[in-house]
Every structure is written in C-alpha cells, then in structure tokens.
Amino acid sequence: MSHHVVKHATLPNGLTVLVETMPTVQSAAFALLVNAGSVYDPPRQNGTATALADWTARGAGDRSSRDLLAHLDRMGIQGNESASTQHMVFRGACLAANLPAALQVYGDIILRPHLQDEEFEAVLSGVEHGLLAIEDEPRQKVMVELLRRCLPYPWGLPSEGTLADLENITPDSVRQHFRKVIRPAGAILGIAGNVTLESVLPVLTEVFGAWTGSNDIPIPLGATTPVHEHLTHESTQTHIGVAYPAVAYSDPEYYAAWAAVNVLSGGVSSRLFTEVREKRVLCYSVYATLNTLKDRGQVLCYAGTTSERAQETLDVLRAELVRLGAGIGDDELDRCKARAKSSLIMAQESSGSRAASLARNWYHLGRVVTLDEVRTKIEELTPATVLDYVHAHPAKDFSILTIGPEPLQ
C-alpha cells in the first residue's frame, strides 16, 4: 500500500526525530510533542499548559507577535500550538521547500518566546473564553466532567483548564513553568512529506542543538473508583456520560478494542445508532469512543436526550454495551474494516496526519508503525477475536455522569 521510508535519529539532547519520506506529495508537516501537557500544570493552576501554548507564539526570537504572524503567512506555514494531557503540541504544515524556514521559526517559538506581560491578558482571556463556552455546552461539559472522575488525578484534569484556577495563573507562574517543562529530553518530533532525514538533520541540529535539559516533574497517580454523579442543570434536556475500562494503545488487544467500539458506534449502521436512536427514538445524539492514555484506556459514551426519556435512554445504552458480549456479526465487522481502510488511505495522502501519527506511535510504543502494519492488524480481526476481547474486558464498572434537571438511577 505505502512505500514510504521512515527513518529516525535521536539528537544528543534527547530529542527523537522521525521522518517519513512521501515522494508523491509536495508538502511537508511536522508535529512536536514536548512533555509539558496539562498533567504538569502546577497544583491549583490547571490551564497553565494551554495558556503557555498560546503565549509562545505571541512574539518570539527577533519578531513581534504581528511580525511572527506575517512571516508565517508569507511563507505559507499553517501552524498551531496546543496542550493535550501529556504534551504541549507544536504543529505546522507548508510546502516541502519551506520546511527548513518553518522549523527555524518554531525554534524561536519553542526556545525563545518573548512571553511578554502585555500579551498575557489576551492569552488568559482566550483560555477563559474557551472554558465559558464549555460551561454553556452541557454536551461538552458532561464529557469533561466524566473524564475528571474516571481517570486518576491529575490525568483527568481538563487540558483546557478550570475556571476556578485561572485567578491563580500569573505571567510569572507561567514563565517559571516554561523554564521547567519546555525541555528536549523525551520530546518527539514527527516529520512527514517530500523530505528526507538526511536533508533535515543539519537544520534540526542548528535549530535545536543548543536546547537542553529534561522535565523532571514527577506525576503522582491518584486512585479511581467508579462513580455515579449528577450535576443539576435546569433544562428540558439531559446529557449522559458513561465510561468503563478498556486497554491502552500499546496493548496487543488494542485493535480488537477499537473494533468493539466501532461496532457500537461507527456510522449509521452501528448498534447505538440503530438501537438507541433509530428503533426507540430515545435520543438525538449517541456515540461511543475509545480514549487511551499511555497505561490505560476507557470507552467513553455520550447520549443527549429529553429529560423524560433520560432514564430509559441510560437503561437501553447500558444494555447495548453489555449485549455486545452476546455476539458480533461478520457484516458488522466488515463495515468497520471498510471504514478503517478508507481512513487509512486518506491518512496515507496527508503529511499532517502522518507526522502526528509518527510522533504519537513513538510516544505510546517507542517504535514506528507503518500504515501497512495497521492495515494487517485490522484485516486479521475476526468476530471471534473481537468477542474474546469483549469477554475479557466486559462493559462493567461503569462511571456515570449526568447533567440535567433530575438524577437518574
């Protein structure tokens, strides 16, 4: 399917570089994962990583905020900075010929951001704006609050931050945090496109060679127990979030877990869509998704419904999750495989999606995963192997969070 060559190197400072050469495209893209995500936010300052990600690109090196934007625009570089749970993520895409220039700009953003007080207010109000939008959108809020409860502290903290913590975040606290966490040891840079490792190594050595150190902040791991909680919200609707344990991305059973969730919730023929939404017309939206951290996974389910049908929706949803263990049809698995193949083909043509995958796979597995390997793993799935997984990891120990006028049983 793909004849892309992937090569990797580790710079003396501990930065791992992965390059997938895609000779048929004209673009190049990169994704840099630095161990500076929201799990490293200082206590009672959740939102620091998200604020820092935004602040780094508001003036860096010898360019002001405006000059930096104009320069990126002129070079046709589409970049963005964000915080996930584990990482601060710097991404960019451009014509392959402009990749060295893009990496140089991002060298400034990552190593030499101005982090000026006068830009900080806009940064913090952006974080606040995002958080208020979630507060106004119970459909999003229910999943944020579900993760906060079903993952161990601090892994369940929202990467977007927490409204109550914003007042504790100051320019000085974020600058101090920047010095601690933006370090190359353990960082991973995925690059994909019409470039080679040999051609980018000299640029990377020049741009990142003087970057040193590691983020040594230890991450505690809190305990978790399944919860059943309700947040009262006066409305005619009820939003239901359900989580139960699955396996991590690095687990050999990951693809079976992925298929099980896709039988439940991939497309209009999936179980949840047909049973909960179409046949019984219980809700206007229902889905399940697989959420993985390095050492654990969760199936996360959502249903949005009218409050009078909420209890029945939750009952039917739970029953469908459990009923998956009764059997999976060939046709159901074939549909999953067909969808997976079409998304693999699209990924094969996108340098951005390949760059991100390279970095993510290295983080989870410590190795490169080719699209051919993924395709083989998906091809090998059978209803029996997926069912074995479901029996070994049945839908139980549910964490349930609801937002609406009345709690559910």
Side-chain angles (χ1 to χ4, degrees):
M1 174 174 168
S2 63
H3 300 290
H4 302 161
V5 177
V6 182
K7 293 187 175 177
H8 71 89
T10 301
L11 301 189
N13 61 9
L15 170 65
T16 296
V17 181
L18 308 146
V19 179
E20 179 165 336
T21 303
M22 302 170 70
T24 58
V25 301
Q26 313 239 297
S27 62
F30 64 87
L32 173 64
L33 308 183
V34 182
N35 288 312
S38 57
V39 283
Y40 299 101
D41 285 351
R44 293 177 300 286
Q45 292 177 25
N46 179 212
T48 297
T50 286
L52 178 56
D54 182 357
W55 206 11
T56 55
R58 291 175 183 258
D62 53 13
R63 295 185 179 93
S64 70
S65 189
R66 181 171 293 180
D67 293 342
L68 190 59
L69 286 173
H71 181 69
L72 290 168
D73 202 31
R74 208 165 39 245
M75 302 291 299
I77 300 165
Q78 297 168 334
N80 72 7
E81 306 76 36
S82 61
S84 69
T85 304
Q86 169 71 34
H87 296 110
M88 193 159 306
V89 186
F90 299 90
R91 293 182 69 161
C94 54
L95 288 171
N98 290 342
L99 182 68
L103 291 169
Q104 274 162 336
V105 176
Y106 269 84
D108 283 339
I109 289 172
I110 294 156
L111 277 72
R112 291 172 289 281
H114 294 170
L115 305 183
Q116 286 174 322
D117 283 12
E118 54 267 31
E119 296 285 350
F120 190 72
E121 199 177 323
V123 168
L124 218 53
S125 79
V127 176
E128 183 178 31
H129 190 79
L131 290 170
L132 290 170
I134 293 172
E135 284 297 308
D136 284 344
E137 188 42 86
R139 176 182 181 143
Q140 265 184 292
K141 182 174 174 165
V142 73
M143 301 316 277
V144 168
E145 295 301 331
L146 179 64
L147 278 170
R148 195 195 286 276
R149 289 159 175 81
C150 72
L151 292 175
Y153 177 86
W155 294 93
L157 288 177
S159 55
E160 301 87 356
T162 303
L163 277 170
D165 286 8
L166 287 191
E167 62 198 43
N168 306 327
I169 300 176
T170 65
D172 280 339
S173 74
V174 181
R175 279 191 285 257
Q176 193 182 346
H177 189 66
F178 164 78
R179 289 190 288 271
K180 275 188 182 165
V181 297
I182 302 295
R183 296 286 178 214
I188 305 162
L189 174 61
I191 297 175
N194 203 337
V195 292
T196 63
L197 177 64
E198 293 73 15
S199 68
V200 298
L201 262 183
V203 182
L204 294 172
T205 305
E206 180 197 338
V207 172
F208 296 116
W211 189 22
T212 57
S214 61
N215 166 4
D216 298 318
I217 300 174
I219 301 295
L221 201 57
T224 53
T225 45
V227 297
H228 187 151
E229 271 187 56
H230 177 74
L231 303 177
T232 303
H233 177 72
E234 287 316 321
S235 161
T236 56
Q237 295 169 343
T238 294
H239 301 266
I240 300 168
V242 176
Y244 60 95
V247 292
Y249 183 59
S250 54
D251 194 287
E253 297 283 315
Y254 170 77
Y255 288 95
W258 167 87
V261 172
N262 265 269
V263 168
L264 286 170
S265 179
V268 291
S269 319
S270 64
R271 297 267 182 107
L272 296 181
F273 193 91
T274 49
E275 294 298 325
V276 189
R277 191 176 151 173
E278 293 219 308
K279 286 188 191 168
R280 296 187 176 80
V281 204
L282 283 172
C283 62
Y284 49 84
S285 172
V286 63
Y287 67 82
T289 178
L290 188 56
N291 170 285
T292 54
L293 294 174
K294 197 158 189 174
D295 69 334
R296 69 189 63 220
Q298 296 276 333
V299 178
L300 302 176
C301 311
Y302 167 83
T305 178
T306 60
S307 297
E308 54 267 33
R309 312 208 71 169
Q311 186 64 55
E312 192 187 350
T313 301
L314 175 57
D315 295 344
V316 173
L317 173 62
R318 269 187 298 212
E320 283 305 315
L321 298 175
V322 171
R323 192 173 73 89
L324 192 60
I328 291 168
D330 283 311
D331 55 327
E332 292 182 295
L333 190 55
D334 288 343
R335 280 195 294 270
C336 289
K337 289 182 177 184
R339 271 197 309 278
K341 273 184 224 166
S342 69
S343 60
L344 280 175
I345 288 165
M346 291 193 279
Q348 189 183 354
E349 294 164 2
S350 156
S351 55
S353 103
R354 288 306 300 150
S357 285
L358 289 172
R360 195 169 55 241
N361 283 319
W362 194 271
Y363 165 66
H364 282 284
L365 309 172
R367 65 183 183 86
V368 166
V369 178
T370 63
L371 288 170
D372 288 338
E373 182 187 334
V374 176
R375 196 179 77 240
T376 304
K377 290 263 171 57
I378 289 168
E379 282 295 346
E380 287 169 349
L381 292 169
T382 64
T385 56
V386 178
L387 209 52
D388 285 345
Y389 167 81
V390 174
H391 291 154
H393 303 271
K396 61 174 193 181
D397 299 330
F398 295 119
S399 283
I400 299 171
L401 183 78
T402 51
I403 296 182
E406 295 294 330
L408 307 181
Q409 294 307 305

